[in-house]
C-alpha cells in the first residue's frame, strides 16, 4: 500500500503491530502536506487502477476486519 500512497502525494511512515497489550489492532501511518493534499489523494485513489486492485484484494480476502481513520498533528514541528 505504501507505494500507492507515495505515488499519490503522501508519505508512508510504516506499519505497526502490538508488542504488548491488545493483539487485535495494527496501525498504518501516513501523512500528507495538507488536508487539501489528502483530499486530492482520496479523489485520485478512487480512479487509480492500482488502488482499485488493492481494494479488490481486500474485498476478496477480507484481510482486515475494521478500518478507522484518525487525523493527528505532529507535536513538535
Amino acid at each position: 500500500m505504501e507505494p500507492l500512497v507515495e505515488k499519490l502525494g503522501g508519505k508512508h511512515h510504516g506499519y505497526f503491530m502490538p508488542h504488548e497489550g491488545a493483539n487485535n489492532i495494527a496501525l498504518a501511518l501516513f501523512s500528507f502536506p495538507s488536508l487539501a493534499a489528502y483530499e486530492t489523494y482520496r479523489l485520485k485513489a478512487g480512479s487509480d487502477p492500482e488502488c482499485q486492485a488493492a481494494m479488490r484484494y481486500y474485498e476478496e480476502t477480507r484481510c482486515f476486519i475494521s478500518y478507522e481513520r484518525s487525523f493527528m498533528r505532529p507535536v513538535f514541528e
Side-chain angles (χ1 to χ4, degrees):
M1 185 67 172
E2 65 272 4
L4 300 178
V5 171
E6 293 186 358
K7 170 180 145 179
L8 298 176
K11 178 169 174 48
H12 177 255
H13 298 281
Y15 296 104
F16 299 83
M17 296 181 68
H19 178 69
E20 294 182 13
N23 65 359
N24 64 338
I25 298 170
L27 300 174
L29 299 178
F30 305 98
S31 64
F32 291 85
S34 66
L35 183 55
Y38 173 72
E39 293 298 334
T40 299
Y41 156 79
R42 298 267 300 169
L43 287 172
K44 289 181 179 179
S47 60
D48 182 85
E50 291 179 289
C51 291
Q52 290 173 348
M55 284 304 298
R56 279 193 303 277
Y57 177 81
Y58 158 70
E59 291 166 355
E60 292 168 3
T61 65
R62 296 292 184 198
C63 51
F64 52 88
I65 297 170
S66 68
Y67 171 81
E68 297 176 27
R69 292 184 300 157
S70 295
F71 297 89
M72 301 176 207
R73 295 177 190 212
V75 176
F76 303 107
E77 190 168 275

